[in-house]
Amino acid sequence: MKILVIGSGGRESAICWQFAKNANVKKIYCAPGNDGIAKLAEIVNISTCDFENLVDFVKVNKIDFTFVGCELPLSLGIVDYFNSCGLKIIGPSKNASKLESSKIYSKQFMSKYGIPTAKYNSFSDLNNALNYIDTLDDNRKIVIKADGLAAGKGVHVCSCKKEAKDIVHKIMFEKILGSAGTNILVEEYIDGEELSYLVFTDGISYSLMPASQDHKRVSDGDKGLNTGGMGAYAPASLDTEQLNKQVQNIVKKVIYGVCQEKLEYKGILYVGIIVNGGLPYVLEFNCRFGDPEAQAVLPLLETNLSDICIAILNQKLLNLQIKWKNKFSVCVVLVSGGYPESFKTGFEITGLENISGRDTIIFYAGVKSVNGRLVTSSGRVLGITSISETIKDAINKVYSNINLVYFDNMHFRKDIAWRALNEKS
Ligand code: GLY
């Protein structure tokens, strides 16, 4: 079997790693990939949104199916394009991807199908948005969201009306997010713990993966700026049996809605949940694996990812029993110091060869090879994941392995999975 993975980060590194575990997978390609992913997959120098060249590549190399890791090509219709060329591809159609690429569509979908979420109002006019914010209670936080894809910069939790109005002005008047901010949502703030539920779906049936928890802030204790994720662990300790049932019920409603709306959805659904008063509310849908959640969850998957993909493509997911390891997984992201603001790159990464054992895996994100040496090339550099019988062990294992790795200005959080540890110890 030959598979093409689309994307270039730690998530796609984890997806390639999972595919490589199946001996029937003879060849993995990754477009555009990175020089770390090149250890497992052949790197293809075609951009994620160059659909014509990707299709040509798939045809010439007789690739069995393509797996889309990242959201931008999905939102631009890569699945529709591949399908129109008679090619198999894992990911939702352009219309289905609006669950992620339009926050307003996603909210309308949630209210239509009775999915619990924060109350909101949407605006296409700056003054209407500012006047509405004036009517709100100044003692409550206000959430401002850009409607479109904004590379993780589209959500702002504001502590007062002035802050909310300032950011609305920046998004709608100064256009700091470009066309992603043409329309915005002003949303009620819900306090609580966030959890990520990833779901396999063939558009008819679905299967939840173990719940995970991302750590978005750059510094220990959930302090500092928001990032693309500094680490994740799974299964998340907050995912009680009761909560899981409630989330299953939410996912059932989503898939019912997908069928009713005749959305083509063969891929991964990401349900971002906030738990308040013991009840789950949907914060967002994404139409692909989370990053770094994928780097924590995929190492726990026992069934071959390629078998799951084939079941999804044939809409036979219901017949497949997906097995997970009864273990804990902790992923810590190593970033360039200064990220998510300004940082330097080009530093040699040393010590990776010292990482040993089948239970610790290196996932590659912002790296490139220069004269045979691996150097940093972006803010998010590596994800290191360890799995073990207990969460405490997984944490100890991942941090003792990270101690073997070095690059100048390396930064990472020392407290990934602290909530789970507090609950277990
Ligand atoms: N970890 C959040 C995301 O992938 O969107």
Side-chain angles (χ1 to χ4, degrees), residues 86-114:
L87 298 176
K88 292 182 179 151
I89 183 160
I90 295 284
S93 64
K94 182 174 180 175
N95 279 344
S97 302
K98 279 171 70 186
L99 286 170
E100 174 168 5
S101 64
S102 167
K103 302 294 172 232
I104 295 174
Y105 175 80
S106 164
K107 283 286 197 182
Q108 288 165 344
F109 181 95
M110 287 188 242
S111 28
K112 186 165 176 186
Y113 292 100

Short mmCIF file of all heavy atoms in Angstrom, two decimals, residues 86-114:
data_model
loop_
_atom_site.label_atom_id
_atom_site.label_comp_id
_atom_site.label_asym_id
_atom_site.label_seq_id
_atom_site.Cartn_x
_atom_site.Cartn_y
_atom_site.Cartn_z
N GLY A 86 -11.37 10.97 -9.23
CA GLY A 86 -11.48 9.53 -8.98
C GLY A 86 -10.45 9.02 -7.98
O GLY A 86 -10.15 7.82 -7.95
N LEU A 87 -9.91 9.90 -7.13
CA LEU A 87 -8.88 9.48 -6.17
C LEU A 87 -9.43 9.41 -4.75
O LEU A 87 -10.30 10.21 -4.38
CB LEU A 87 -7.70 10.47 -6.21
CG LEU A 87 -6.99 10.56 -7.56
CD1 LEU A 87 -5.90 11.63 -7.50
CD2 LEU A 87 -6.39 9.22 -7.97
N LYS A 88 -8.89 8.47 -3.99
CA LYS A 88 -9.36 8.28 -2.61
C LYS A 88 -8.60 9.22 -1.67
O LYS A 88 -7.38 9.34 -1.76
CB LYS A 88 -9.11 6.84 -2.18
CG LYS A 88 -9.99 5.87 -2.94
CD LYS A 88 -9.76 4.47 -2.45
CE LYS A 88 -10.67 3.53 -3.22
NZ LYS A 88 -10.12 2.20 -3.34
N ILE A 89 -9.36 9.82 -0.76
CA ILE A 89 -8.74 10.80 0.13
C ILE A 89 -9.49 10.84 1.47
O ILE A 89 -10.72 10.74 1.49
CB ILE A 89 -8.70 12.20 -0.55
CG1 ILE A 89 -7.98 13.23 0.33
CG2 ILE A 89 -10.07 12.70 -0.96
CD1 ILE A 89 -7.48 14.44 -0.44
N ILE A 90 -8.72 10.95 2.54
CA ILE A 90 -9.31 11.05 3.89
C ILE A 90 -9.36 12.52 4.30
O ILE A 90 -8.33 13.18 4.40
CB ILE A 90 -8.44 10.27 4.91
CG1 ILE A 90 -8.46 8.77 4.61
CG2 ILE A 90 -8.91 10.54 6.34
CD1 ILE A 90 -9.72 8.04 4.98
N GLY A 91 -10.59 12.98 4.55
CA GLY A 91 -10.81 14.37 4.96
C GLY A 91 -12.22 14.75 4.58
O GLY A 91 -12.81 14.11 3.70
N PRO A 92 -12.78 15.77 5.22
CA PRO A 92 -14.12 16.22 4.85
C PRO A 92 -14.13 17.07 3.58
O PRO A 92 -13.10 17.68 3.24
CB PRO A 92 -14.54 17.06 6.06
CG PRO A 92 -13.28 17.52 6.67
CD PRO A 92 -12.23 16.48 6.38
N SER A 93 -15.27 17.12 2.91
CA SER A 93 -15.43 17.96 1.72
C SER A 93 -15.34 19.44 2.13
O SER A 93 -15.38 19.77 3.33
CB SER A 93 -16.80 17.71 1.09
OG SER A 93 -17.79 18.11 2.01
N LYS A 94 -15.27 20.29 1.11
CA LYS A 94 -15.20 21.74 1.37
C LYS A 94 -16.40 22.20 2.21
O LYS A 94 -16.24 22.95 3.17
CB LYS A 94 -15.16 22.47 0.02
CG LYS A 94 -15.04 23.95 0.14
CD LYS A 94 -14.87 24.59 -1.21
CE LYS A 94 -14.75 26.09 -1.06
NZ LYS A 94 -14.48 26.76 -2.33
N ASN A 95 -17.60 21.75 1.84
CA ASN A 95 -18.80 22.16 2.59
C ASN A 95 -18.73 21.69 4.03
O ASN A 95 -19.07 22.42 4.96
CB ASN A 95 -20.07 21.61 1.93
CG ASN A 95 -20.48 22.48 0.76
OD1 ASN A 95 -20.01 23.61 0.64
ND2 ASN A 95 -21.33 21.95 -0.10
N ALA A 96 -18.31 20.43 4.23
CA ALA A 96 -18.23 19.90 5.59
C ALA A 96 -17.14 20.62 6.39
O ALA A 96 -17.28 20.82 7.61
CB ALA A 96 -17.96 18.40 5.55
N SER A 97 -16.08 21.02 5.71
CA SER A 97 -14.96 21.71 6.40
C SER A 97 -15.36 23.06 6.95
O SER A 97 -14.63 23.65 7.76
CB SER A 97 -13.79 21.94 5.44
OG SER A 97 -13.37 20.74 4.91
N LYS A 98 -16.53 23.56 6.51
CA LYS A 98 -16.98 24.85 7.05
C LYS A 98 -17.25 24.75 8.55
O LYS A 98 -17.30 25.76 9.25
CB LYS A 98 -18.25 25.30 6.32
CG LYS A 98 -17.94 25.97 4.98
CD LYS A 98 -19.17 26.22 4.17
CE LYS A 98 -20.04 27.30 4.76
NZ LYS A 98 -21.32 27.43 4.02
N LEU A 99 -17.41 23.53 9.05
CA LEU A 99 -17.54 23.37 10.50
C LEU A 99 -16.33 23.95 11.22
O LEU A 99 -16.40 24.36 12.36
CB LEU A 99 -17.70 21.89 10.87
CG LEU A 99 -19.07 21.27 10.55
CD1 LEU A 99 -19.02 19.77 10.73
CD2 LEU A 99 -20.16 21.88 11.43
N GLU A 100 -15.18 23.94 10.53
CA GLU A 100 -13.98 24.58 11.09
C GLU A 100 -13.72 25.95 10.46
O GLU A 100 -13.35 26.88 11.16
CB GLU A 100 -12.73 23.70 10.89
CG GLU A 100 -11.46 24.42 11.34
CD GLU A 100 -10.22 23.53 11.43
OE1 GLU A 100 -10.29 22.35 11.08
OE2 GLU A 100 -9.18 24.06 11.86
N SER A 101 -13.89 26.04 9.15
CA SER A 101 -13.43 27.25 8.46
C SER A 101 -14.39 28.43 8.58
O SER A 101 -14.03 29.54 8.22
CB SER A 101 -13.14 26.96 6.99
OG SER A 101 -14.32 26.59 6.33
N SER A 102 -15.62 28.20 9.07
CA SER A 102 -16.51 29.32 9.37
C SER A 102 -17.12 29.11 10.76
O SER A 102 -17.95 28.22 10.96
CB SER A 102 -17.64 29.44 8.34
OG SER A 102 -18.62 30.34 8.84
N LYS A 103 -16.67 29.94 11.68
CA LYS A 103 -17.16 29.80 13.06
C LYS A 103 -18.66 30.11 13.12
O LYS A 103 -19.38 29.57 13.96
CB LYS A 103 -16.41 30.76 14.00
CG LYS A 103 -14.91 30.58 14.02
CD LYS A 103 -14.49 29.24 14.61
CE LYS A 103 -13.01 28.97 14.47
NZ LYS A 103 -12.66 27.69 13.87
N ILE A 104 -19.13 31.00 12.20
CA ILE A 104 -20.56 31.34 12.22
C ILE A 104 -21.37 30.14 11.72
O ILE A 104 -22.36 29.74 12.34
CB ILE A 104 -20.83 32.61 11.36
CG1 ILE A 104 -20.14 33.81 12.00
CG2 ILE A 104 -22.33 32.86 11.21
CD1 ILE A 104 -20.19 35.10 11.21
N TYR A 105 -20.92 29.52 10.63
CA TYR A 105 -21.60 28.31 10.14
C TYR A 105 -21.65 27.25 11.24
O TYR A 105 -22.68 26.61 11.47
CB TYR A 105 -20.87 27.77 8.91
CG TYR A 105 -21.45 26.45 8.43
CD1 TYR A 105 -22.60 26.42 7.65
CD2 TYR A 105 -20.86 25.24 8.80
CE1 TYR A 105 -23.16 25.21 7.25
CE2 TYR A 105 -21.40 24.03 8.40
CZ TYR A 105 -22.55 24.02 7.62
OH TYR A 105 -23.09 22.82 7.24
N SER A 106 -20.52 27.08 11.90
CA SER A 106 -20.40 26.06 12.94
C SER A 106 -21.41 26.31 14.06
O SER A 106 -22.09 25.39 14.54
CB SER A 106 -18.95 26.11 13.42
OG SER A 106 -18.79 25.48 14.60
N LYS A 107 -21.57 27.58 14.46
CA LYS A 107 -22.53 27.93 15.51
C LYS A 107 -23.97 27.69 15.03
O LYS A 107 -24.81 27.19 15.79
CB LYS A 107 -22.38 29.41 15.89
CG LYS A 107 -21.19 29.68 16.78
CD LYS A 107 -21.47 29.19 18.19
CE LYS A 107 -20.51 29.78 19.19
NZ LYS A 107 -20.73 29.28 20.55
N GLN A 108 -24.23 28.04 13.76
CA GLN A 108 -25.59 27.83 13.23
C GLN A 108 -25.91 26.34 13.21
O GLN A 108 -27.02 25.92 13.54
CB GLN A 108 -25.70 28.41 11.81
CG GLN A 108 -25.72 29.93 11.83
CD GLN A 108 -25.46 30.56 10.47
OE1 GLN A 108 -24.97 29.91 9.54
NE2 GLN A 108 -25.75 31.85 10.36
N PHE A 109 -24.90 25.54 12.84
CA PHE A 109 -25.06 24.08 12.82
C PHE A 109 -25.36 23.59 14.24
O PHE A 109 -26.26 22.77 14.46
CB PHE A 109 -23.76 23.47 12.28
CG PHE A 109 -23.75 21.97 12.18
CD1 PHE A 109 -24.07 21.32 10.99
CD2 PHE A 109 -23.41 21.19 13.28
CE1 PHE A 109 -24.06 19.93 10.90
CE2 PHE A 109 -23.39 19.80 13.20
CZ PHE A 109 -23.71 19.17 12.00
N MET A 110 -24.62 24.11 15.21
CA MET A 110 -24.82 23.67 16.60
C MET A 110 -26.22 24.02 17.07
O MET A 110 -26.88 23.21 17.71
CB MET A 110 -23.76 24.29 17.51
CG MET A 110 -22.38 23.67 17.34
SD MET A 110 -21.26 24.27 18.61
CE MET A 110 -20.03 25.10 17.65
N SER A 111 -26.69 25.25 16.77
CA SER A 111 -28.05 25.55 17.28
C SER A 111 -29.09 24.72 16.55
O SER A 111 -30.04 24.26 17.18
CB SER A 111 -28.40 27.05 17.26
OG SER A 111 -27.75 27.72 16.29
N LYS A 112 -28.89 24.46 15.25
CA LYS A 112 -29.88 23.66 14.51
C LYS A 112 -30.00 22.25 15.07
O LYS A 112 -31.08 21.67 15.09
CB LYS A 112 -29.47 23.63 13.04
CG LYS A 112 -30.47 22.97 12.13
CD LYS A 112 -30.20 23.29 10.67
CE LYS A 112 -31.15 22.55 9.76
NZ LYS A 112 -30.81 22.74 8.35
N TYR A 113 -28.86 21.68 15.52
CA TYR A 113 -28.88 20.28 15.94
C TYR A 113 -28.80 20.11 17.48
O TYR A 113 -28.50 19.03 17.97
CB TYR A 113 -27.79 19.49 15.21
CG TYR A 113 -28.16 19.41 13.74
CD1 TYR A 113 -27.57 20.25 12.81
CD2 TYR A 113 -29.17 18.55 13.31
CE1 TYR A 113 -27.97 20.23 11.47
CE2 TYR A 113 -29.57 18.53 11.98
CZ TYR A 113 -28.97 19.38 11.08
OH TYR A 113 -29.38 19.37 9.77
N GLY A 114 -29.09 21.18 18.19
CA GLY A 114 -29.22 21.08 19.65
C GLY A 114 -27.93 20.72 20.36
O GLY A 114 -27.93 19.97 21.34
#
